[in-house]
């Protein structure tokens, strides 16, 4: 199959083909097959609109979903190659930042697999987020191009004008096909690009002229918004996305033969956090311009739009100065004012106003007033939204609130990245779990079966070996017999990578004091920090400095090692997840909306060391006390501490157990590796502010982590816990999540 394609495309045989040609042929093969799959049509169509789609490399998963994987792998094997080797030639699109974007990608896989009529809608950034490069133990940012002459993108040739006041630009629609598992149908990612976008604007790193919107709109995801030009650019980007989307949606409504008045019956728009929220006023604007009365338009749009909230952090709740919107999208502001006025007539309480007392447009509030559904992404998260963050809205619209616990696609996060484990499961419970993840629970009957447990440990060891080889290629030596302790996620203070660092400092000092651990431990980190997030970059700096301190210490380096993978992305995750043994889910309780890495790691047999936050709570409930390592203050206590201002970092810092750990940040060995200003800033923050209370949970964290390392030595006991975790992970399949969205919100 691949051979014919190669012959046709390059006139070479399998033996003669270069790796690049093999990849290009496989890409073309998939693209042809995918296009023959029908898109699902239905009375009611979903548009999942999102600023991020962190899809990862597509070749392997598409081959799997198309049912071509075995055949192509066999063809490649005969010439000494493999699909994995081909994938090395595939660039990874960095069209996302973290959980929200990866969730959107998992959802698209499940939507296609369940055969639901739905497409993803977003932007085609040429350089995505950024490529992270470490330089002198600091993060620097480089453009991360992924679009090649041959790529997954298909140019539809369809263009849409977008008006910014007097200025007009043009959006062009590109599509990426996403085949569902089992060769039935496909969904599409529909990505808009700016006609005339100019990479020549990029200067040093990822800096560029932020004011030249006619040429910069689709260069980067989340351009630095620490100055006004950057903030305006984000509004330009968002409006560009939703204006194109609104035109596409209305155009397809007409193509499907429906009238504008039927919008709410035939269209449902899932707004992925507030980045696409301007779709609401934009649709209302377009409908009223066509002559529909304002209230009817507002009502129709409200019954078509649903909003997902992914965070309760105040600083991540988007609000734009009305003056900025006035400047960028003057045609939209009258509609927003009218929507605000109508909402204020119905609900005069100031805390639910769309345009607040500071003349800021509160995007989430617009979504809640003018959407029919609001959902959190895990049970605890939704409860917190209802009871505190969005309580005034819950009082007005209790019927709109619903909880949808996140999920992950098992195609990528088990069958794709860990085929040996998938095979282990199938040999025991048959293949049904691939379509019905709940069937995984049947695996639990092997929890005391020695042979199964031994095999499970062997599979984990193989996963570690594979990662060790990948790390070696990146210049890192790691002991495959050490315990792999993994924290992989965006870098954010609330996720508390700094607390993990303080544990490592504690461990280092134990070793220096002669308390040798039973077995070496490797601490793996993967994280990008937002380019303008100062303290997050300081935390990366401190971890990299500590890595160097340990590496250069002959005594300590026998026992502990820090590996911070550069440019953590989906591909790294696919290698790290199967190798992980300890899953660090240590956010300050109440702050992590859900987490999805926690699910991927559990599914691959890592045990969770976690606070009762986000979906961790549900993981703990499913696997039971003995199979989950819980520590830290519960969310109610944390919420109370914030409410009464009762947390004082200084007091905790003074404890004799804690002070030397924090002080180590400024000790000679660290200063020899790093920069006093950055380390000093982190020290100051931890001792005087520590807004996310790392010091509060530190001692409990150390205690439970030590317990975990002890328990690791009972290899069978540990393997049994692994097996229970895998068996209980079925609930976290995104197929289940999507079925729930469809049952309760979309009704496709
Ligand atoms: C907001 C304002 C200004 C600039 C940027 C932003 C911004 C950008 C990205 C705010 C939020 C995000 C991304 C949030 C995100 O990824 N949230 C994660 O979503 C996951 C999927 O639901 C959850 O599992 C995680 O708990 C949540 O952190």
């Amino acid at each position: 199959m691949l051979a014919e394609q190669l012959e046709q495309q390059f006139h070479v045989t399998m033996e003669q083909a270069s790796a690049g040609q093999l990849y290009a042929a496989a890409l073309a093969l998939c693209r042809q097959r995918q296009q023959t799959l029908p898109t699902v049509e239905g009375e009611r169509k979903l548009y999942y609109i999102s600023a991020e789609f962190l899809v990862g490399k597509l070749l392997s998963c598409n081959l799997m979903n198309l049912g071509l994987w075995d055949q192509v792998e066999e063809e490649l094997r005969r010439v000494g190659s493999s699909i994995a080797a081909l994938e090395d030639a595939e660039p990874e699109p960095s069209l996302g930042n973290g959980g929200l974007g990866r969730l959107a990608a998992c959802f698209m896989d499940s939507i296609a697999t369940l055969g639901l009529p739905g497409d993803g809608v977003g932007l085609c950034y040429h350089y995505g987020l950024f490529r992270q490069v470490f330089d002198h133990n600091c993060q620097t940012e480089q453009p991360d191009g992924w679009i090649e002459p041959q790529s997954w993108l298909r140019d539809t040739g369809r263009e849409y004008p977008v008006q910014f006041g007097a200025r007009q630009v043009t959006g062009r629609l590109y599509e990426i096909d996403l085949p569902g598992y089992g060769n039935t149908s496909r969904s599409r990612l529909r990505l808009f690009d700016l006609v005339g976008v100019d990479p020549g604007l990029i200067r040093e790193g990822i800096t560029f002229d932020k004011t030249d919107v006619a040429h910069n709109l689709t260069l980067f995801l989340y351009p630095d918004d620490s100055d006004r030009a950057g903030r305006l650019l984000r509004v330009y980007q968002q409006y560009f996305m939703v204006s194109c989307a609104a035109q596409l949606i209305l155009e397809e409504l007409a193509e499907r033969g429906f009238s504008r008045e039927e919008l709410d019956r035939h269209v449902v728009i899932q707004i992925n956090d507030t980045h696409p929220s301007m779709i609401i006023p934009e649709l209302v604007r377009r409908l009223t311009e066509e002559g529909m009365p304002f209230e009817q338009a507002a009502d129709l749009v409200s019954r078509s739009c649903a909003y997902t909230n992914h965070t309760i952090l105040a600083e991540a709740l988007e609000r734009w100065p009305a003056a900025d919107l006035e400047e960028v999208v003057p045609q939209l502001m009258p509609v927003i004012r009218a929507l605000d006025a109508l909402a204020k007539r119905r609900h005069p309480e100031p805390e639910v106003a769309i345009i607040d007392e500071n003349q800021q447009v509160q995007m989430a509030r617009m979504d809640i007033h003018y959407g029919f559904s609001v959902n959190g992404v895990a049970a605890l998260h939704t409860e917190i939204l209802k009871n505190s963050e969005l309580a005034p809205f819950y009082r007005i619209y209790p019927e709109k609130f619903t909880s949808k616990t996140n999920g992950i696609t098992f195609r990528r996060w088990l069958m794709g990245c860990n085929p040996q484990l998938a095979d282990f499961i199938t040999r025991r419970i048959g293949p049904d779990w691939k379509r019905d993840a709940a069937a995984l629970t049947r695996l639990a009957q092997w929890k005391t079966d020695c042979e199964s447990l031994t095999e499970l440990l062997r599979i984990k060891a193989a996963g570690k070996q594979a990662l060790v080889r990948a790390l070696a290629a990146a210049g890192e030596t790691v002991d495959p017999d050490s315990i792999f302790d993994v924290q992989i996620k965006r870098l954010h203070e609330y996720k508390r990578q700094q607390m993990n660092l303080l544990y490592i400092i504690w461990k280092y000092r134990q070793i220096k004091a002669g308390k040798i651990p039973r077995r070496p431990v490797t601490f793996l980190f993967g994280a990008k920090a937002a380019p303008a997030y100062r303290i997050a970059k300081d935390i990366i700096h401190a971890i990299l400095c500590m890595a160097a301190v340990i590496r250069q210490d002959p005594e300590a380096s026998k026992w502990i090692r820090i590996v911070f993978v550069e440019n953590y992305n989906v591909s790294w995750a696919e290698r790290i997840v199967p190798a992980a043994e300890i899953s660090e889910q240590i956010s300050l309780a109440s702050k992590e909306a859900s987490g999805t890495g926690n699910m991927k790691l559990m599914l691959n047999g890592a045990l969770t060391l976690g606070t009762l936050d986000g979906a961790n709570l549900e993981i703990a409930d499913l696997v039971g006390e003995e199979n989950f390592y819980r520590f830290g203050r519960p969310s109610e206590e944390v919420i109370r501490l914030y409410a009464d201002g009762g947390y004082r970092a200084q007091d905790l810092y003074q404890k004799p157990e804690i002070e030397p750990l924090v002080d180590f940040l400024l000790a000679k060995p660290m200063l020899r590796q790093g920069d006093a200003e950055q380390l000093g800033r982190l020290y100051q923050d931890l001792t005087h502010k520590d807004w996310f209370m790392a010091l509060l949970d530190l001692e409990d964290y150390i205690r439970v982590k030590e317990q975990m390392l002890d328990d690791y030595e009972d290899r069978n006991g540990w393997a049994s816990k692994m097996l229970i975790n895998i068996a209980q992970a079925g609930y976290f399949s995104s197929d289940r999540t999507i079925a729930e969205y469809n049952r309760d919100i979309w009704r496709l």
Side-chain angles (χ1 to χ4, degrees), residues 457-745:
L457 290 174
R458 236 193 341 261
I459 291 169
K460 183 56 79 179
K464 291 167 72 178
Q465 290 282 3
L467 177 62
V468 166
R469 285 192 296 274
L471 288 170
E476 295 273 4
T477 15
V478 171
D479 173 3
D481 293 325
S482 62
I483 301 173
F484 284 19
D485 174 302
V486 167
Q487 188 170 17
I488 41 174
K489 47 186 78 252
R490 284 181 307 144
L491 209 130
H492 204 294
E493 290 163 276
Y494 83 79
K495 296 179 187 283
R496 299 197 294 192
Q497 280 96 348
Q498 68 278 27
M499 188 168 75
N500 195 349
L501 172 63
L502 291 171
Y503 166 84
I504 298 170
I505 292 173
W506 176 85
K507 193 84 183 164
Y508 173 83
R509 287 169 46 86
Q510 292 283 109
I511 295 168
K512 298 305 278 180
K515 290 183 202 122
I516 302 299
R518 294 224 228 154
R519 189 191 292 259
V521 187
T522 301
F523 302 97
L524 280 146
F525 290 88
K528 289 180 182 176
Y533 190 177
R534 205 42 277 176
I535 199 81
K537 290 176 125 175
D538 295 338
I539 293 170
I540 292 184
H541 181 61
I543 295 171
L544 288 171
C545 288
M546 188 64 197
V549 168
I550 294 168
R551 212 180 314 118
Q552 290 171 22
D553 184 317
E555 207 181 345
S557 63
K558 267 189 269 172
W559 298 104
I560 51 178
R561 172 165 300 258
I562 295 177
V563 174
F564 203 133
V565 300
E566 194 174 48
N567 199 42
Y568 173 66
N569 56 11
V570 177
S571 305
W572 269 120
E574 286 164 6
R575 290 185 287 253
I576 296 171
V577 165
E581 300 184 290
I582 297 178
S583 162
E584 298 270 353
Q585 307 301 335
I586 62 178
S587 56
L588 175 63
S590 79
K591 295 295 176 190
E592 188 70 88
S594 161
T596 45
N598 47 1
M599 302 167 186
K600 294 161 199 165
L601 288 157
M602 164 200 203
L603 177 63
N604 283 270
L607 305 191
T608 307
L609 170 55
T611 49
L612 286 188
D613 198 14
N616 294 354
L617 204 82
E618 289 158 77
I619 294 178
D621 277 348
L622 282 164
V623 301
E625 285 261 285
E626 28 352 310
N627 301 302
F628 186 100
Y629 289 86
R630 171 167 67 86
F631 73 94
R633 307 299 165 96
S635 57
E636 311 87 73
E637 197 177 327
V638 172
I639 291 169
R640 209 174 320 120
L641 277 173
Y642 276 114
D644 61 22
Y647 181 67
R648 287 179 46 85
Q650 292 95 314
D651 299 349
L652 282 167
Y653 166 64
Q654 277 157 21
K655 292 177 84 167
E657 295 81 9
I658 292 183
E659 189 175 297
L661 307 181
V662 182
D663 285 353
F664 191 83
L665 291 172
L666 291 178
K668 284 221 183 64
M670 288 292 276
L671 290 174
R672 269 199 291 275
Q673 302 298 337
D675 168 48
E677 188 186 326
Q678 294 178 59
L679 293 168
R681 198 162 35 217
L682 180 57
Y683 172 88
Q684 277 300 321
D685 189 278
L686 282 172
T687 52
H688 288 88
K689 188 161 140 222
D690 189 24
W691 183 245
F692 295 102
M693 307 180 190
L695 303 188
L696 179 70
D697 287 337
L698 179 58
E699 287 171 278
D700 204 25
Y701 176 55
I702 295 175
R703 178 182 66 79
V704 176
K705 196 151 159 167
E706 286 300 293
Q707 179 67 53
M708 212 168 172
L709 296 178
D710 271 347
D711 290 359
Y712 186 92
E713 298 307 322
D714 169 13
R715 298 309 290 136
N716 258 343
W718 183 276
S720 179
K721 293 181 204 288
M722 287 170 66
L723 193 94
I724 296 292
N725 270 269
I726 299 165
Q728 293 299 333
Y731 179 70
F732 300 109
S733 163
S734 48
D735 296 347
R736 186 270 312 154
T737 312
I738 288 301
E740 285 184 12
Y741 271 86
N742 192 35
R743 186 193 64 201
D744 301 335
I745 304 175

Side-chain angles (χ1 to χ4, degrees), residues 48 51-52 97-104 107 221-223 225 234 238 272-275 308-320 376-378 381 404 406 490 494-495 530 591-599 614-615 741:
Y48 194 90
E52 305 184 26
N97 169 24
L100 166 157
R102 185 53 234 174
L103 184 76
F107 279 7
L221 166 67
Y222 302 138
D225 62 353
R234 286 181 47 106
Q238 293 187 352
N272 200 26
D273 220 288
T274 54
H275 318 129
T308 304
N309 174 291
H310 294 265
T311 180
I312 55 169
L313 291 186
E315 65 269 29
L317 281 179
E318 281 194 305
R319 41 187 168 239
W320 298 109
V377 290
H381 171 57
K404 294 286 161 279
N406 282 168
R490 284 181 307 144
Y494 83 79
K495 296 179 187 283
K591 295 295 176 190
E592 188 70 88
S594 161
T596 45
N598 47 1
M599 302 167 186
Y741 271 86

